[in-house]
């Protein structure tokens, strides 16, 4: 009590001097209030921001002055300007020991920061300390900040302290602790699910404010799942009964109504618990009847409780006696002169007709009065009620009212909503197809492009399919009436694009079907539509397609087609259009006019828009072509299973499937790295052996290398130079100048091309051509694979069901599903080749790229000095003139990797004695050095 008196004296003293604010701050508020323009207000605020930025950064600012600066920053933020430079000072103020300054800091922090702000981490420790404070006002300030600033990640840091505060001696602290737990449940239900029993216990708290806070938390939990809380029905009914009987202190009364907000919250919870549960609902009937009897309809808060009671009765298991009482109360609402009461009556009537649709018949005049009321909000609510009351007997009247209202509104959002409802009602309860077409035309005309394109397609399908029966005369009459109505609509000055698309399609399909209109007349109308909308390529595309159909129908019937000059100019214009779609349509029309009548009748038959397209997936019509191609020597097609069965050759699709299976987590140890050494021996073993025999006839060095290569596995000697590192012509950044100082060997472009293509040395023999042997071997084994595309079927979504579908009969579909066309997926072939190169070949090629010496036919010359000397270290950035032995860095790297024993020679190879193998394949000798051409 003493603390409250102290705070009261401080507040009273502050109020005498403007809440402790200086004259400068009061003048600022006054200047902003008297500003005559937005620009003047901006200048005042910007000037004050610069002043605050300067003063707030000064050292040793008095605490009372800092409090005023923080309040002025709040004022700046409220006016839409940035005050982020002062956020840290608001956070610092929460650490102050003064209660007034601490609460000011918490207030500013909750207004400045959001739960994801980076400064939140600085306030967590302060909140934890304040939650353990002996001063309950400090605890309340911290709990208020917790509800605004704590996010899902920081909830565990303060949750234990808040749970302890549930048993605090002060009711205000217990109430705010329950509110904090409710906030945590909204953010992350899993973090506080174990605390639901503690929240349920707070329903029995001795203070009504704590109980009301627990009701709010339970309402969120019951909304998510009501079944675990069914056993609370008795307790909640008992609490509601005590509230209605004025058992609570008069402090909770509002306009002589006992705790109205607690009553409303309890009624909402009971509506959730009693929905579809007869046993639970029976426990509520007595207290609900008591509320209907004792309710005070003379005040707004009394009407609010009565309306919530009617909503609860319409949600739980129905009781006829109570429903009759609710209907009488709804009639009183509708007859009231207050618009708020009428609005509640319309909404309550919409809830009651879900249970008993006949109750609306007694209030037809009242509903019509609300529909003609000038209050736009009440009129919209009445239209929502009419939407729920619609059935086959009154659909034409209600839809006509809704279309009339749609003409008067300009709000695009609400116009879209009401047009969708009209379309739904017309599709569900249309008395005839003719009425449906006329209604859709009006919706297209007044709603325009807000109508979804699917609605236009459904309308076209309905006109094409007709009534859905066997009566062709009725279908033809429907189409003729549609043509006549659309020809009249074309006289309107401004039509939406979606309606023009429907008009063009209908005129193209059925414009000349009944013979009442000539082809020239319909074509002239379509040309006018295309010329009137030069910027709408979609409408122009529909128009040129409709003209194509009319010309095709005329030619198919054996009548001569004569295009007017207007039509020809349109075709020429579209032939040069920037849109390739329009160009194609124009060219198709020109090509169609050049065909004979029989072909045109086959290509575009009359009234075949809804016929199913038959697709021959076996492509039997290509048998003659395939047979002719095979006779001329073409290779037959192999299926994927046949390709997989050929000699272990895998297709690209199968390899991708194997890779997909290997993407799962593996927990075994990684294998030791090995050098990949591919070879063409699997393709041409005889050629490789021939090459090995040829190499063994050379000197000892060549024989040694041959022995090394013959021990290699079948995955060697493919694409040696393409996969190797080429250093010739590369500017040297590291190392001594002696590194790679020998000119590169002059290898012909033809040789390099063969090496890059993966040719083995055996291909350079005289007996076999270079390109033909390897190419034929590879192409005969690798067969391309094609990956089939999955079939894509178009499924049309059903129109949105009624918001209260249980009240009315199910939707009667007025259209048949059109046939679906299958697509033959194409397969694509691709050759797969995975050349690899061995480590020894890499080092040999590196040395051959830096060597210019060739091998003589009778003997072998000694290697150059640059190869005999060890290669310097690449990372040695010392003086280039320093002498000393050097080593090959690539050979050193080779020693770090384990090579299989089958791929290693029996004796280690000395780096200085490895021959220059690429010189064997050189066709052009180096200058000053004789060489042997192995090709001959």
């Amino acid at each position: 009590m003493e603390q409250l008196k102290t705070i009261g004296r401080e507040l009273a003293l502050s109020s005498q001097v403007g809440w402790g604010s200086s004259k400068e701050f009061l003048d600022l508020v006054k200047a902003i209030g008297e500003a005559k323009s937005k620009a003047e207000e901006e200048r005042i605020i910007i000037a004050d921001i610069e002043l605050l930025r300067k003063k707030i950064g000064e050292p040793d600012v008095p605490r009372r002055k800092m409090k005023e600066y923080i309040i002025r920053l709040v004022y700046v933020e409220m006016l839409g300007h940035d005050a982020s430079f002062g956020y840290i000072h608001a956070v610092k103020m929460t650490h102050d020991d003064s209660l007034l300054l601490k609460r000011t800091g918490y207030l500013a922090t909750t207004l400045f920061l959001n739960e994801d702000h980076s400064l939140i981490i600085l306030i967590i420790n302060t909140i934890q300390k304040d939650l353990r404070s002996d001063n309950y006002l400090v605890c309340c300030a911290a709990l208020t900040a917790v509800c605004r600033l704590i996010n899902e990640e920081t909830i565990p840091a303060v949750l234990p302290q808040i749970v302890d505060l549930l048993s605090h001696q002060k009711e205000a602290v217990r109430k705010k602790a329950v509110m904090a737990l409710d906030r945590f449940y909204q953010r992350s239900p899993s973090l506080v699910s174990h605390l639901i029993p503690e929240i349920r216990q707070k329903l029995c708290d001795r203070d009504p404010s704590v109980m009301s806070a627990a009701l709010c938390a339970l309402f969120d939990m019951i909304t998510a799942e009501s079944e675990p809380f069914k056993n609370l029905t008795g307790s909640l009914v008992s609490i509601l009964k005590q509230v209605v009987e004025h058992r609570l202190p008069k402090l909770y009364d509002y306009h002589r109504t006992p705790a109205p907000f607690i009553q409303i919250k309890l009624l909402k919870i009971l509506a959730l618990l009693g929905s579809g549960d007869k046993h639970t609902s029976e426990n509520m009937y007595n207290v609900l009847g008591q509320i209907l009897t004792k309710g005070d309809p003379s005040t707004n808060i009394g009407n609010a409780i009565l309306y919530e009671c009617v909503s609860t009765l319409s949600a739980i298991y129905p009781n006829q006696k109570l429903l009759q009482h609710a209907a009488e109360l709804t009639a009183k609402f509708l007859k009231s002169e207050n618009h708020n009461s009428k609005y509640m009556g319309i909404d309550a009537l919409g809830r009651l007709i879900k249970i008993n649709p006949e109750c609306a018949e007694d209030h037809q005049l009242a509903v019509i009065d609300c529909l003609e009321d000038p209050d736009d909000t009440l009129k919209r609510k009445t239209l929502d009620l009419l939407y729920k009351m619609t059935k086959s007997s009154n659909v034409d009247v209600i839809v006509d009212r809704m279309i009339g209202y749609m003409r008067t509104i300009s709000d695009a959002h609400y116009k879209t909503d009401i047009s969708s409802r009209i379309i739904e009602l017309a599709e569900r309860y249309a008395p005839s197809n003719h009425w449906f077409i006329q209604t859709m035309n009006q919706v297209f005309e007044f709603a325009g492009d807000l109508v979804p394109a699917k609605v236009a397609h459904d309308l076209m399908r309905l006109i094409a399919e007709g009534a859905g029966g066997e009566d062709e005369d009725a279908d033809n009459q429907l189409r003729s009436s549609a043509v006549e109505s659309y020809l009249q609509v074309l006289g309107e000055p401004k039509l939406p694009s979606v309606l023009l698309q429907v008009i063009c399609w209908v005129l193209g399909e059925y414009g000349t079907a009944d013979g009442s209109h000539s082809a020239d007349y319909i074509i002239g109308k379509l040309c006018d539509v295309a010329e009137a909308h030069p910027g709408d390529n979609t409408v122009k595309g529909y128009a040129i397609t409709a003209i194509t159909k009319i010309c095709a129908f005329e030619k198919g019937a054996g009548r001569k087609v004569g295009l007017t000059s207007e039509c020809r100019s349109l075709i020429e214009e579209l032939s040069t259009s920037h849109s390739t779609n329009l160009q194609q349509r124009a060219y198709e029309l020109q090509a169609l006019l050049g065909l004979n009548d029989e072909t045109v009748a086959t290509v575009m038959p009359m009234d075949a828009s809804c016929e199913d397209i038959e697709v021959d997936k076996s492509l039997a019509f290509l048998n003659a072509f395939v047979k002719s191609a095979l006779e001329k020597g073409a290779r037959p097609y192999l299926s994927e299973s046949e390709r997989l069965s050929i000699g272990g050759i895998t297709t690209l699709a199968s390899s991708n499937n194997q890779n997909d299976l290997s993407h799962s987590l593996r927990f075994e140890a990684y294998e030791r790295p090995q050098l990949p050494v591919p070879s063409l021996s699997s393709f041409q073993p005889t050629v490789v052996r021939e090459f090995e025999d040829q190499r063994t006839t050379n000197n000892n060095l060549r024989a040694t290398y041959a022995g090394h290569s013959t021990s290699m596995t079948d995955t060697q000697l493919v694409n040696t130079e393409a996969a190797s590192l080429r250093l010739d012509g590369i500017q040297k950044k590291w190392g001594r100048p002696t590194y790679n100082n020998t000119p590169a060997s002059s290898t012909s472009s033809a040789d390099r091309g063969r090496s890059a293509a993966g040719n083995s040395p055996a291909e350079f023999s005289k007996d076999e051509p270079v390109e033909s042997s390897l190419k034929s071997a590879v192409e005969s084994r690798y067969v391309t694979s094609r990956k089939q595309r999955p079939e894509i079927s178009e499924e049309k979504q059903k129109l949105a069901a009624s918001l209260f579908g249980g009240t009315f009969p199910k939707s009667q579909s007025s259209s048949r599903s059109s046939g679906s066309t299958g697509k033959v997926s194409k397969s694509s072939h691709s050759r797969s080749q995975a050349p690899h190169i061995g480590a020894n070949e890499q080092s040999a090629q590196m040395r051959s790229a830096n060597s210019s010496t060739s091998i003589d036919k009778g003997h072998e010359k000694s290697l150059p000095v640059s190869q005999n000397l060890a290669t310097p270290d690449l990372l040695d950035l010392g003086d280039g003139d320093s002498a000393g032995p050097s080593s090959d860095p690539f050979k050193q790297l080779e020693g770090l990797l384990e090579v299989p024993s089958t791929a290693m020679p029996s004796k280690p190879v000395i780096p200085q004695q490895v021959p220059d193998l690429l010189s064997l394949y050189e066709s052009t000798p180096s200058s000053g050095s004789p060489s042997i051409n192995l090709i001959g």
Side-chain angles (χ1 to χ4, degrees), residues 342-358:
K342 286 184 177 181
Y343 188 93
M344 288 191 302
I346 292 294
D347 188 82
L349 186 60
R351 295 175 183 271
L352 292 176
I353 62 174
K354 293 192 299 181
I355 303 174
N356 184 16
E358 297 179 357

Side-chain angles (χ1 to χ4, degrees), residues 736 870 882-886:
R736 300 186 181 91
S882 60
S886 58

Side-chain angles (χ1 to χ4, degrees), residues 182-183 185-186 215-225:
D182 183 22
R183 185 61 172 168
Y185 180 82
Q186 294 174 2
L215 287 176
C216 296
L218 288 174
F219 176 75
D220 293 334
M221 299 174 184
I222 294 173
T223 303
E225 186 179 5

Side-chain angles (χ1 to χ4, degrees), residues 565-580:
S565 58
E566 182 183 8
C567 182
R568 294 184 182 277
S569 62
L570 175 63
I571 296 173
E572 293 177 358
E573 176 188 351
L574 297 183
S575 299
T576 58
S577 174
H578 292 290
S579 173
T580 56

